[in-house]
């Protein structure tokens, strides 16, 4: 997996919400992507408040060279636009985050959230229907009791498979500011939701109250210096969670220490180099995403220009720093003017924590192998997603740099095409990339480990 070799990724399939025309409406833009714990289901949310669930085709699981294609399993409207009359504010229907709960029976459960309201959804299948009720006719109407002369035992008859999605819980009225993160705890009974200034802890069965576990709102809002940008629970220890800030810091908190975790257990912060300080330093150091490794030992963070891996045992500096698109450093002024500098890129680990992935501009996404220190730039586009085609590495040439054949100049990058949302299958080398209104799914051509 390096710049000089073909990347071992081939398309499984790609899905767009708008197959019949080329223009994109705002509602169709994908805003979150998430595999479930087995990787058999993949959910996407969009700015129109819809959730689309894809299911992996079962017959392809055990074939070495199979396409293992994901097809649409269910689509439903999760959130609708609302209006807060007290504050005269419109509440968008856009889905900010989706998180799956571990499967405990035949049904699947997922949490979805917009800026204010979190909902718990049940996704279940039905392939039988009851027939032969005593008091109802075939259409469900109550029979005239005088016509019931005998009792019969209702029976279950086969029917075409139907996927039913139903709302089970609604968690509302707990956030003054926009919800940016939700994370399910490893105890599978609680989850947390974070907005710009507060983090709340919820029980999945209790909708009318939550516990505030972090509150960084100052008494005087003029003293506000940072906001919470992301938060996540530790994958194995239910008492630990981390949250990131717009100042580039990470705070690890332990809920055993106090009910209100305003005092962190550990603070992860990289000292700033005074010689490289500029007007944009604070903006580009803001952490847009934080993810625990599957092992729970490391943290992966993404800021505007870099991805960093932190060891929980070392707070003073990151263990590894990866330059995602350093060629943009000279373009920060124009990126500030067109607001791209505020884009929030997400990041992802592979199943063995050996490779990390994150997005960039021009529909490019980057992968970094932690063991070999090799990296690759790949492109998610309709042209590169023909079946069984191998993705060719791309290379961006910095302004004034020496150009090779097939290099792309930094001046010709399309900043309207950006990969903000990515997800990695929990055990296999299958990745999901959201590019505007298209979902691209790629897999390693040999189904082997990437390192």
């Amino acid at each position: 997996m390096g710049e000089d070799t073909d990347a071992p990724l081939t398309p499984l399939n790609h899905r767009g919400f708008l197959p019949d025309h080329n223009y994109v409406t705002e509602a169709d833009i994908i805003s979150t992507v998430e595999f479930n714990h087995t990787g058999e289901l993949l959910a996407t949310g969009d700015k129109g408040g819809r959730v689309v669930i894809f299911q992996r085709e079962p017959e392809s699981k055990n074939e070495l060279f199979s396409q293992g294609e994901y097809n649409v399993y269910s689509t439903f409207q999760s959130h609708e636009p609302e209006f807060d009359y007290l504050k005269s504010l419109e509440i968008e229907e856009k889905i900010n985050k989706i998180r799956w709960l571990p499967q405990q029976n035949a049904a699947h459960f997922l949490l979805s959230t917009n800026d204010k309201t979190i909902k718990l959804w049940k996704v279940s299948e039905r392939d039988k229907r009851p027939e032969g009720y005593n008091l109802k006719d075939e259409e469900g109407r109550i029979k005239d009791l005088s016509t019931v002369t005998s009792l019969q035992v209702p029976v279950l008859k086969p029917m075409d498979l139907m996927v039913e999605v139903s709302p089970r819980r609604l968690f509302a009225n707990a956030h003054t500011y926009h919800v940016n993160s939700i994370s399910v705890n490893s105890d599978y009974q609680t989850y947390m939701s974070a907005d710009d200034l507060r983090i709340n802890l919820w029980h999945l069965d209790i909708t009318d109250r939550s516990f505030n576990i972090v509150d960084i709102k100052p008494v005087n809002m003029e003293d506000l210096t940072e906001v919470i940008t992301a938060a996540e629970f530790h994958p194995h220890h239910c008492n630990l969670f981390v949250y990131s800030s717009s100042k580039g810091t990470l705070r690890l908190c332990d809920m055993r220490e106090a009910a209100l975790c305003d005092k962190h257990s550990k603070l992860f912060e990289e000292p700033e180099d005074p010689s490289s300080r500029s007007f944009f330093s604070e903006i580009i150091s803001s952490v847009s995403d934080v993810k625990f490794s599957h092992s729970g030992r490391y943290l992966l963070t993404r800021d505007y220009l870099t991805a960093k891996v932190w060891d929980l045992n070392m707070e003073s500096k990151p263990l590894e720093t990866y330059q995602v698109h350093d060629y943009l450093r000279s373009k920060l002024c124009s990126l500030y003017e067109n607001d791209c500098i505020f884009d929030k890129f997400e990041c992802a680990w592979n199943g063995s924590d050996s490779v990390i992935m994150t997005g960039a501009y021009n529909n490019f996404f980057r992968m970094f192998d932690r063991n070999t220190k090799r990296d690759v730039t790949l492109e998610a586009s309709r042209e590169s997603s023909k079946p069984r085609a191998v993705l060719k590495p791309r290379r961006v040439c910095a302004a004034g740099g020496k150009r090779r054949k097939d290099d792309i100049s930094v001046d010709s990058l399309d900043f309207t095409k950006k990969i903000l949302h990515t997800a990695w299958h929990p055990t296999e080398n299958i990745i999901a990339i959201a590019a505007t209104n298209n979902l691209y799914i790629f897999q390693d051509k040999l189904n082997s480990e990437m390192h």
Side-chain angles (χ1 to χ4, degrees):
M1 194 183 72
E3 295 286 4
D4 305 321
T5 58
D6 280 349
L9 288 172
T10 56
L12 291 178
N13 57 0
H14 67 90
R15 288 277 184 266
F17 290 119
L18 300 171
D20 301 325
H21 46 74
N22 293 322
Y23 64 86
V24 181
T25 64
E26 185 79 6
D28 296 307
I29 296 172
I30 298 173
S31 54
T32 184
V33 185
E34 185 79 6
F35 279 102
N36 75 339
H37 290 73
T38 63
E40 295 303 298
L41 298 177
L42 171 67
T44 65
D46 65 23
K47 289 192 172 182
R50 289 165 299 199
V51 172
V52 181
I53 302 174
F54 298 86
Q55 183 184 47
R56 195 174 183 190
E57 290 301 308
E59 66 271 14
S60 63
K61 285 181 205 168
N62 300 317
E63 297 172 29
L64 185 60
F65 295 97
S66 73
Q67 286 293 84
E69 192 163 296
Y70 283 79
N71 289 312
V72 174
Y73 180 61
S74 180
T75 303
F76 63 95
Q77 189 73 30
S78 172
H79 287 71
E80 302 278 0
E82 297 173 55
F83 191 79
D84 186 332
Y85 294 97
L86 289 175
K87 296 178 181 170
S88 295
L89 283 176
E90 281 189 46
I91 301 169
E92 288 185 335
E93 64 269 39
K94 174 192 162 199
I95 308 295
N96 292 342
K97 283 288 183 287
I98 291 172
R99 289 291 179 264
W100 291 90
L101 273 62
Q103 190 176 4
Q104 295 177 333
N105 52 35
H108 298 273
F109 290 85
L110 63 84
L111 289 165
S112 63
T113 184
N114 66 351
D115 285 341
K116 299 289 182 184
T117 306
I118 303 149
K119 295 182 181 180
L120 175 67
W121 297 90
K122 179 184 179 181
V123 184
S124 55
E125 293 181 353
R126 194 146 64 95
D127 60 358
K128 292 184 177 67
R129 69 169 184 272
E131 281 186 8
Y133 283 114
N134 289 291
L135 302 179
K136 292 183 193 170
D137 62 19
E138 296 303 319
E139 282 158 16
R141 291 182 300 236
I142 301 293
K143 290 181 184 176
D144 181 355
L145 294 181
S146 62
T147 64
V148 179
T149 56
S150 62
L151 289 176
Q152 59 182 340
V153 178
V155 292
L156 291 172
K157 292 281 184 72
M159 61 178 271
D160 290 338
L161 180 69
M162 197 165 79
V163 179
E164 294 181 320
V165 180
S166 54
R168 300 310 295 245
R169 305 271 191 280
L170 190 143
F171 307 89
N173 305 320
H175 285 281
T176 309
Y177 307 97
H178 291 178
V179 177
N180 55 46
S181 302
I182 50 176
S183 179
V184 180
N185 201 344
S186 59
D187 62 12
Y188 306 150
Q189 295 184 341
T190 56
Y191 76 92
M192 68 176 172
S193 56
D195 65 24
D196 295 335
L197 297 178
R198 296 188 180 102
I199 299 175
N200 293 330
L201 180 69
W202 299 83
H203 193 286
L204 284 162
D205 291 331
I206 301 170
T207 58
D208 59 354
R209 65 183 180 274
S210 61
F211 296 96
N212 181 228
I213 52 174
V214 172
D215 188 346
I216 64 167
K217 184 184 177 188
V219 177
N220 184 352
M221 285 295 274
E222 289 178 5
D223 298 331
L224 183 68
T225 58
E226 64 180 334
V227 295
I228 297 166
T229 55
E232 188 174 66
F233 269 119
H234 191 282
H236 310 303
H237 301 302
C238 61
N239 54 291
L240 295 177
F241 67 93
V242 68
Y243 69 93
S244 57
S245 88
S246 56
K247 275 193 165 178
T249 60
L250 302 171
R251 290 176 174 88
L252 184 74
C253 300
D254 189 340
M255 291 190 291
R256 293 173 302 185
E257 290 180 2
L260 189 64
C261 299
D262 286 352
K263 291 189 172 64
H264 49 266
S265 301
K266 291 190 175 186
L267 175 68
F268 300 85
E269 186 174 20
E270 187 171 25
E272 188 182 25
D273 180 3
S275 63
S276 63
R277 177 154 184 84
S278 71
F279 170 76
F280 305 109
S281 293
E282 194 162 313
I283 301 171
I284 63 173
S285 68
S286 175
V287 175
S288 55
D289 195 20
V290 59
K291 294 271 170 57
F292 273 104
S293 63
H294 295 84
S295 68
R297 170 72 185 269
Y298 303 104
L299 289 166
L300 171 62
T301 63
R302 174 67 206 264
D303 56 40
Y304 191 65
L305 295 178
T306 67
K308 292 172 182 166
V309 174
W310 299 78
D311 189 325
L312 285 191
N313 297 334
M314 187 169 74
E315 300 164 61
S316 57
K317 61 179 182 179
L319 194 64
E320 301 150 21
T321 300
Y322 300 97
Q323 300 297 331
V324 177
H325 38 207
D326 202 49
Y327 45 79
L328 294 182
R329 208 171 279 276
S330 60
K331 300 274 179 191
L332 292 178
C333 196
S334 57
L335 291 165
Y336 177 76
E337 287 170 2
N338 64 16
D339 280 349
C340 283
I341 201 168
F342 301 106
D343 285 335
K344 293 175 168 56
F345 292 94
E346 295 174 7
C347 50
W349 296 90
N350 74 336
S352 62
D353 299 334
S354 60
V355 183
I356 62 172
M357 171 177 63
T358 191
Y361 292 107
N362 211 66
N363 276 1
F364 290 165
F365 59 97
R366 303 270 283 138
M367 289 182 168
F368 301 92
D369 190 310
R370 298 180 58 214
N371 297 330
T372 64
K373 301 304 178 191
R374 296 172 77 185
D375 64 87
V376 69
T377 301
L378 301 168
E379 182 179 8
S381 67
R382 287 180 182 270
E383 293 72 37
S384 67
S385 62
K386 295 181 176 66
R388 295 196 181 278
V390 175
L391 292 188
K392 288 193 166 47
R394 310 303 301 267
R395 188 171 175 271
V396 179
C397 177
K402 219 173 152 183
R403 283 189 69 175
R404 294 189 294 188
K405 189 186 170 212
D406 296 331
D407 279 5
I408 296 143
S409 165
V410 68
D411 295 317
S412 60
L413 293 174
D414 187 343
F415 291 103
T416 63
K417 294 179 177 176
K418 53 191 88 170
I419 305 289
L420 300 178
H421 312 289
T422 60
W424 204 310
H425 188 289
T427 54
E428 297 180 40
N429 281 331
I430 298 174
I431 57 174
I433 308 288
T436 319
N437 67 316
N438 285 304
L439 175 68
Y440 295 90
I441 302 174
F442 302 102
Q443 77 170 347
D444 180 358
K445 63 186 175 186
L446 294 177
N447 280 339
S448 61
E449 284 302 312
M450 294 206 61
H451 56 273

